[in-house]
Amino acid sequence: MGYFKTLNACTWRYLKIDWRYKFSIVTDAIWTMVTVVAFGTLGYAAGQGNENFVKYQGTNAFIWILVTGIFYWTFFSRPFEESVLAVPEEAARGTLGFLVTNQVSPATMLTGRMVSSVFKFTIIAAAVVYPVMYVLDLRIPPEYLLEIFLILFISMFFMLALVFIVSALTLIVKKIGVIINIFLHSSRILSGFYFPLSNGKESEFGPVAMWIENYLPIARGLVMIRDIVIPEDKGGGISHTAVWEGLEWMLIGTVIALVFAFIFIAKITDLSRKWGTLEFY
Amino acid sequence: MADKIVVADKIVKEFKPNLFMGEAIRIIDGVSFELDREESLAIIGPNGSGKTTLLKILATIYLPDSGTALIDGYDIIKDTEEVRNRISLVSPALDFQKKLTLKETLKFFADIQDSKIDQAFDFLQYMGLMPMLDLRLETFSEGQKAMTRLAIGLMKKPEILLLDEVFATLDFRRREHLIKYLEDYVKGITLIIVDHHSEVVDRLCTKMLLMKRGGSTLKIGSVGEIFERSPYKYDVIAVPKKYMSEEISEGFGYPYMRLGGRVRFFVKNKEEADDLIERMFEWDKFVSFEVSGVSMDDIYWLSMLESAEEERFKKFCTQCGAFIPRDLNFCLQCGYFLD
């Protein structure tokens, strides 16, 4: 019970802080819009004359791939960055040591930061990205709302596992800007954000690509989101049964990742207490 | 419930400037002490003597490299949860989210400490901060932030309150007010204080741990014991008419300490006091001087003087005259190697 009270307190604190920095919310929304325009343009240019480029059909197919990728990643890209940066920010503020002495582990604090940040970007995704999807005939069918929610919910916890791992590194390594980008872009590539992994199944890396698409929670999640929102007559469409099966695999992968990440951050937190890096900023 | 509320045993802590290479620097070197319930300890020493690191080890932020400490019988390494339930660290390093109000900040810390926000209200009322509850912390002065830190620390109702230089940013009036609050209202709590104000040590602490640079113990004992052990029984506080150089001060032949425009000399007996006063008359450049028995205030300054004694062996470069830290044999300014 104490854990949830603490988590709740951390989440509310970050929500209040985010709300007070309204200009930052506006710039996040603008940044998301710019990303949609940039990738939309790229998708349009790449799709011309390449109708069979991806498994979906039509000249808009590659735009759909990218815009659905942006929709999915809007929930996690900036929240990932904001959450990882929360550790050095709290340490610089002297709060980290204080929280530790009050039984608040970095993992709890990071979970609060991630949840509040995902909440903020849910609003941005709904306000900025979904209208563009709507114009492009990409719709969330009401009967799939629960499944979409669960895909995003489980994906958030998988990304939280990555946040734990990178944040653990920030407890011992101070300059982590590039490390954040390495993890973020690697995750986006592996999820099939830039290019569907299934397109590479004929290549020599095909088995690996298909394994990743099936078992990496963020890859499976993005594939299912695309199949749900892209019209059935254009190559989209997925049954409820297939989605639930996918959710099971996502859940298993996420639990494994979370357990590993939790042990990792707990061990590194102990090491940082030994090395004295917990508060040295 | 253990007899001793704190038992620290040969605590050693080293930090490496670079984690993967180079020599480790010893910050705390085998510090041991014990505290009975309701005893209060002042940790005193020059900068770099490891006072704050020692507090952070007791607060379970850092792990000791060797040695350990028991808090109310619980080991700071093995029983961190039990230890953390019993302690509260108030550190000047704790800053706040400036966009949050005082009330929101207290609510957050109350929730994570599993305490109640109204437990801070008595203290805030006493310190006159209640009207500021709905103001954002970005409008607070450093002194008001220091009060907020203390309110958070007290809200937990800890058995041991670790105070790291909380008085440093307070003006005289607020400092006096806070000392009085801790004297009158905070009962049954063990205080461990790092502070440079002698009146804080004098009024709030029953025991002193004097540390020297390098993190080793210079003296440990009750205030009375340290008072007894001191070879100096009188002090002479002199106010010179103009700046009194080191050479002139040393020329009087007694240990001294400069405090602003005043010079505080320490003497062992009445004969030495008479001798010193006679020399002062000869020099004839004092506005005033005052002789008194050694007080707690003097003990504090004497200890500081003693722990800084090694500083007296400092070296200067024979080429460029720059100061050279005593552990080096070459000049950082011009690179000249000393013989």
Side-chain angles (χ1 to χ4, degrees), chain A residues 20 93 103 273-274 279, chain B residues 13 56 81 95 104:
Chain A
R20 302 275 155 85
R93 198 171 281 117
Q103 317 274 23
R273 286 174 60 214
K274 183 175 168 55
E279 276 206 329
Chain B
K13 184 73 203 163
K56 287 185 177 178
E81 198 175 323
D95 202 355
E104 287 167 339

Side-chain angles (χ1 to χ4, degrees), chain B residues 113-124:
Chain B
Q113 292 182 146
D114 203 19
S115 53
K116 295 227 170 353
I117 184 173
D118 47 2
Q119 287 175 191
F121 287 170
D122 273 355
F123 175 71
L124 293 175

Side-chain angles (χ1 to χ4, degrees), chain B residues 274-292:
Chain B
D274 288 342
D275 176 57
L276 177 63
I277 290 166
E278 198 172 314
R279 288 168 187 226
M280 284 177 163
F281 273 120
E282 280 169 19
W283 193 53
D284 194 27
K285 283 174 184 159
F286 287 103
V287 176
S288 66
F289 47 81
E290 183 185 313
V291 184
S292 60

Side-chain angles (χ1 to χ4, degrees), chain A residues 207-222:
Chain A
V208 177
M210 293 320 295
W211 190 92
I212 291 170
E213 190 172 277
N214 283 327
Y215 300 115
L216 185 70
I218 46 174
R220 185 92 182 226
L222 182 50

Side-chain angles (χ1 to χ4, degrees), chain B residues 55-85:
Chain B
L55 276 195
K56 287 185 177 178
I57 288 173
L58 295 174
T60 72
I61 293 177
Y62 296 151
L63 285 167
D65 291 319
S66 66
T68 191
L70 301 178
I71 303 283
D72 199 14
Y74 292 102
D75 191 306
I76 57 164
I77 300 168
K78 295 176 197 151
D79 312 313
T80 44
E81 198 175 323
E82 293 292 343
V83 171
R84 285 170 183 171
N85 286 335

